[in-house]
């Protein structure tokens, strides 16, 4: 039995700020339990503590001394759906209303990483593999191989770092390496820990991990180029032999139109053409849109940031509204977009609606009730919404980047293959061109539209296949 420890700052079902939480929740469940024992280590954040504290099992206490950090922490265990979660409790750093965005985030991440190692020593639990997720835990490999290298069982741990989004790197003043992480200066001097005289958590992870993965094959290639490498492209190229893309899946129990309690009426591929329109009608009513079941209803469920293509979408909306369509948007983000969407709603009552906030139940209703989901992202490491949309028979219209390119095969009217629509250039013009094409398919070729829905729903979006790829990687690193 191989022991794998996931280290992440967030995971469902406890807390979520982004797709990272979906993956850290769904992937361990998909890993073969007969061969791998996966545990997940998380900080005991306020949202988790307030809800779960009474159900946690206290395991032990540790002291964390790391540079200026001198803190006590408690370790708790909790079982959920066959996975053991280990929580690190330290109220002064983790018991806060939010997850990220504090001035002392670097202390919080540093403490968390060091505490994971102190926990291993205290519990005498040494995983064969540590699987780190994003920059928040990307310094673990270096801690194991440099600062804690005197302890054989820690030194021998293999590390897989998964990059969910390279834009966020955790760049800090270099003093962090000594004042908070207590690294020996020699690792700075030889270049292993430094990045342009700064401390960059992601760079350190990429340098020290045994394997680096990211969440789609296309993104793995893109990040080795200046356009998407965010200054780390050279280091990623240097590690290219150990870098690969493994596309995300979704938890098909959580997202299943035949059992989903959040949607108006359950359906499957067998009755999608009869029942999906009923979901659409109820959604229109619910959102205050005109109840016109035959009008094409398109939407976006997304953070409204530059990454998600909010600007090219905004640039295309007026033209889209000249067509017979309704548009629904759910999400929060940069205030410019929020204000613009609010204004559009005022000007286009009954045809354009913007829900400013996050509402999981409404998101599900949209996945079930929309005809088409837009994801015109500037870049997209993987993307989760397009996978959910396909499972619900809602056709994704995406930009060909990262995981969107890898998962949404565009419709080809000659072979009748494909699961959605896609465009290449990051521009409102290109988005409109493919929108026009989809619009014609929707109104004039019902048989084609239905076939694309079938193709989308038949596509395997589960984590099963990708979990096998991770397992192969786990086996490879331990036998190397
Ligand atoms: C990040 C990426 C997204 C990806 C998710 C999970 O949120 O932006 O594309 O799907 O992580 O890996």
């Amino acid at each position: 039995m191989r022991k794998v420890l996931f280290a992440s700052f967030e995971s469902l079902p406890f807390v979520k700020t982004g797709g990272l939480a979906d993956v850290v929740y769904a992937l361990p469940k998909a890993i073969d339990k007969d061969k791998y024992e996966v545990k997940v280590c998380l900080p005991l954040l306020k949202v988790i503590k307030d809800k779960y504290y009474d159900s946690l099992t206290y395991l032990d206490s540790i002291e964390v001394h790391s540079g200026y950090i001198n803190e006590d922490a408690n370790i708790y265990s909790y079982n959920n759906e066959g996975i053991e979660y280990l929580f690190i409790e330290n109220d002064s750093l983790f018991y806060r209303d939010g997850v990220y965005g504090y001035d002392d985030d670097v202390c919080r991440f540093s403490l968390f990483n060091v505490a994971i190692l102190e926990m291993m020593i205290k519990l005498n639990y040494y995983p064969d593999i540590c699987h780190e997720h994003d920059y928040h835990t990307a310094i673990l490999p270096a801690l194991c191989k440099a600062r804690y290298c005197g302890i054989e069982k820690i030194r021998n741990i293999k590390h897989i770092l998964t990059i969910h989004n390279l834009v966020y790197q955790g760049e800090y003043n270099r003093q962090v390496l000594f004042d908070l992480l207590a690294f020996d200066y020699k690792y700075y001097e030889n270049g292993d820990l430094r990045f342009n005289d700064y401390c960059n958590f992601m760079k350190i992870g990429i340098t020290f991990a045994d394997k680096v993965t990211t969440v789609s094959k296309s993104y793995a290639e893109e990040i080795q180029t200046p356009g998407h490498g965010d200054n780390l492209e050279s280091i990623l190229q240097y590690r290219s032999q150990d870098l690969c893309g493994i596309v995300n899946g979704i938890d098909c129990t959580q997202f299943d139109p035949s059992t989903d309690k959040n949607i108006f009426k359950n359906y499957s591929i067998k009755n999608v053409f009869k029942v999906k329109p009923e979901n659409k009608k109820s959604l229109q009513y619910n959102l205050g849109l005109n109840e016109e079941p035959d009008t094409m209803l398109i939407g976006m469920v997304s953070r409204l940031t530059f990454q998600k293509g909010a600007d090219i979408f905004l640039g295309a909306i007026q033209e889209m509204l000249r067509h017979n369509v309704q548009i629904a948007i759910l999400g929060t983000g940069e205030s410019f977009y929020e204000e613009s969407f609010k204004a559009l709603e005022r000007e286009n009552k009954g045809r354009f609606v913007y829900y400013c906030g996050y509402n999981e139940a409404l998101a599900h209703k949209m996945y079930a009730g929309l005809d088409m989901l837009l994801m015109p992202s500037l870049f997209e490491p993987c993307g989760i919404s397009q996978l959910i949309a396909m499972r619900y028979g809602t056709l994704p219209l995406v930009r060909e980047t990262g995981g969107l390119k890898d998962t949404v095969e565009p419709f080809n009217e000659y072979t009748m293959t494909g699961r959605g629509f896609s465009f290449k250039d990051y521009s409102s013009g290109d988005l409109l061109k493919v929108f026009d094409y989809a619009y014609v398919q929707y109104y004039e070729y019902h048989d084609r539209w239905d076939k694309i829905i079938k193709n989308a729903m038949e596509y395997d979006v589960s984590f099963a296949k990708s979990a096998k790829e991770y397992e192969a990687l786990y086996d490879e690193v331990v036998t190397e």
Side-chain angles (χ1 to χ4, degrees), residues 68-84:
Y68 296 142
I69 300 176
N70 286 299
E71 295 279 340
D72 293 330
N74 296 320
I75 308 157
Y76 294 89
S77 155
Y78 180 76
N79 278 296
N80 189 63
E81 298 178 72
I83 303 293
E84 183 183 0

Side-chain angles (χ1 to χ4, degrees), residues 304-370:
L304 304 175
T305 62
F306 79 104
Q307 177 193 339
K308 300 294 178 182
D311 54 348
I312 62 166
F313 179 45
L314 195 57
I317 288 177
Q318 293 293 2
E319 180 55 32
M320 285 179 178
L321 286 170
R322 279 192 201 110
H323 296 66
N324 184 25
V325 286
Q326 295 181 343
I327 302 178
I329 298 172
L330 166 68
T332 56
E334 290 161 28
S335 58
F336 170 71
Y337 300 122
E338 293 187 355
E339 294 312 316
S340 309
F341 291 142
K342 282 179 195 160
L344 278 159
E345 176 175 299
R346 284 193 297 274
E347 292 153 17
N348 298 280
K349 278 270 173 256
R351 296 190 62 210
F352 186 101
V353 61
Y354 170 45
Y355 183 98
C356 181
Y358 194 75
N359 180 329
E360 183 75 15
L362 179 59
H364 285 235
K365 289 183 177 63
M366 287 177 64
Y367 290 125
L370 295 176

